[in-house]
Amino acid sequence: MKPSLTAGSTHRFTYRVPENKTVPHLFPEARDFQIMPHVFATGYMVGLMEWACMDMIRPHLEEGEGTLGTLINVNHTAATPPGLTIHVDVECTDVKGKLLRFNVKAHDGVDVIGEGRHERYAVMWDKFTARVSKKAAKAGVAA
């Protein structure tokens, strides 16, 4: 990590919700999801919050470096139909070496739809991929 990312830094990420990010598209093989309303899925909201943090972090990474989500603790308090635009506001609250902490808050133009905390950890992709490959080989599956 470059030393340029600091606590107090903020970022806004914007995303228009398409139909294919609604609950029935989350694990299409799960009938329980199939019968639910067509609103932005919690699983996709979590991913959107992670994406917003990754977008903030990207300019501060070294060549070959990336980040992994290690903690997410958020609520999902309002339904969002497709077509609305979500703004995710991110604030970096702590940088401790490779550990990065964030407050995240998402708003769909009508309601705050979710907020909470997220942590990411910086890794070198080549080292991480090697560990995953070793684990897959030990388990007898392809990485």
Side-chain angles (χ1 to χ4, degrees):
M1 287 286 307
K2 298 174 186 173
S4 52
L5 182 61
T6 59
S9 299
T10 61
H11 181 67
R12 176 170 267 197
F13 191 79
T14 302
Y15 181 77
R16 186 174 181 276
V17 178
E19 169 62 31
N20 70 354
K21 296 299 184 269
T22 61
V23 178
H25 295 276
L26 188 68
F27 292 105
E29 65 271 26
R31 185 179 182 285
D32 291 332
F33 286 133
Q34 296 305 301
I35 61 176
M36 292 181 72
H38 288 248
V39 294
F40 192 51
T42 302
Y44 290 124
M45 184 190 76
V46 166
L48 181 61
M49 289 174 165
E50 286 195 272
W51 187 9
C53 290
M54 289 186 291
D55 192 59
M56 178 183 195
I57 296 165
R58 188 178 310 104
H60 308 282
L61 296 174
E62 301 288 349
E63 183 69 31
E65 190 176 35
T67 61
L68 303 168
T70 56
L71 176 114
I72 186 101
N73 183 8
V74 297
N75 59 27
H76 191 178
T77 55
T80 301
L84 270 66
T85 297
I86 296 173
H87 301 284
V88 181
D89 291 311
V90 177
E91 178 188 9
C92 180
T93 60
D94 199 14
V95 178
K96 288 195 175 176
K98 295 178 181 259
L99 178 63
L100 312 168
R101 291 188 175 108
F102 303 91
N103 286 333
V104 292
K105 186 175 192 176
H107 195 288
D108 66 10
V110 179
D111 295 307
V112 171
I113 66 165
E115 60 187 313
R117 296 181 315 115
H118 179 45
E119 291 182 359
R120 300 193 69 77
Y121 193 81
V123 298
M124 294 306 294
W125 285 132
D126 58 348
K127 292 178 183 177
F128 178 78
T129 302
R131 285 192 304 271
V132 172
S133 294
K134 185 176 178 180
K135 182 176 184 174
K138 184 175 181 181
V141 298

